[in-house]
Amino acid sequence: MLPAYVANCSAALFGGGRSIDGGLVLWDGRRALGDGKTLRGLALGSACGVGVGILQMLMLSTAQETLQHLDVRLPAFGEGLEAGIIVFCLSVGALLGDMAASFFKRRLGLKRGSPLPPIDQLDFVAGAWLLTALVAREWFFEQFTTGVMLAVIIITPVLHVASNVIGYLMGKKQVPW
Ligand code: CTP
Ligand code: MG
């Protein structure tokens, strides 16, 4: 999940500037996505997510050796091109999920930054999972068993709220959710 988490956090840290929807207003008189979804957030978020995924791949064999005596098998993204595609899907999928949620929030008439729990906390998880499951179905269901998915669904909102409070205190988030 790390590429998805990092993509989401980095979009908030490094985002800004031109909005993805370019100011587009839809039939309901509201923005398509709003000013909280920017091109820079999408680009740098994707890049950071992929970057962390590549670091994880590079660290895997060392980490596996360190844990040798414990008889645990670390999860992996796979080999070569497939691993790259998976890391890309987890990162970009996270940001697409976040954009989809903003689209629906605007249709509901909710302003940028207004809270919609638990959607705000899990939109990026859903996006990352959906895109990865579509593109790398076999790998996805091998790694994300029901137990793992439940753990992610429980842990993510806690991490999300905690990191957003930090982002808010840093002045990087306008609201602490
Ligand atoms: N961000 C960005 N580009 C993205 C996603 C996020 O620039 N593709 C930045 C924006 O500065 C945004 C912040 O990350 O304000 C936090 O993201 P999020 O909580 O998803 O946006 P909100 O401002 O809460 O807007 P929304 O109501 O649309 O969720
Ligand atoms: Mg939000």
Side-chain angles (χ1 to χ4, degrees), residues 105 120 173 177:
K105 283 172 77 173
D120 288 324
K173 280 271 303 170
W177 47 77

Side-chain angles (χ1 to χ4, degrees), residues 36-155:
K37 306 295 115 152
T38 67
L39 286 168
R40 203 165 75 208
L42 181 61
L44 294 181
S46 306
C48 291
V50 169
V52 161
I54 291 172
L55 273 182
Q56 284 179 275
M57 289 184 222
L58 296 175
M59 286 167 66
L60 182 68
S61 58
T62 319
Q64 188 64 65
E65 262 168 49
T66 315
L67 297 174
Q68 222 170 25
H69 58 288
L70 290 177
D71 196 34
V72 287
R73 184 115 202 92
L74 288 172
F77 295 124
E79 295 292 320
L81 184 63
E82 196 208 359
I85 291 172
I86 286 168
V87 163
F88 179 85
C89 288
L90 287 169
S91 308
V92 175
L95 297 171
L96 291 178
D98 175 55
M99 283 165 59
S102 290
F103 179 84
F104 285 112
K105 283 172 77 173
R106 299 302 90 81
R107 304 290 74 72
L108 291 172
L110 295 171
K111 291 232 151 19
R112 171 195 178 178
S114 57
L116 185 63
I119 308 290
D120 288 324
Q121 285 72 37
L122 291 170
D123 51 13
F124 75 98
V125 171
W129 284 353
L130 206 66
L131 185 61
T132 310
L134 280 173
V135 174
R137 198 188 146 78
E138 210 174 307
W139 178 86
F140 181 82
F141 287 105
E142 255 165 44
Q143 301 296 329
F144 289 96
T145 53
T146 313
V148 171
M149 287 176 109
L150 271 178
V152 170
I153 289 170
I154 293 167
I155 293 167

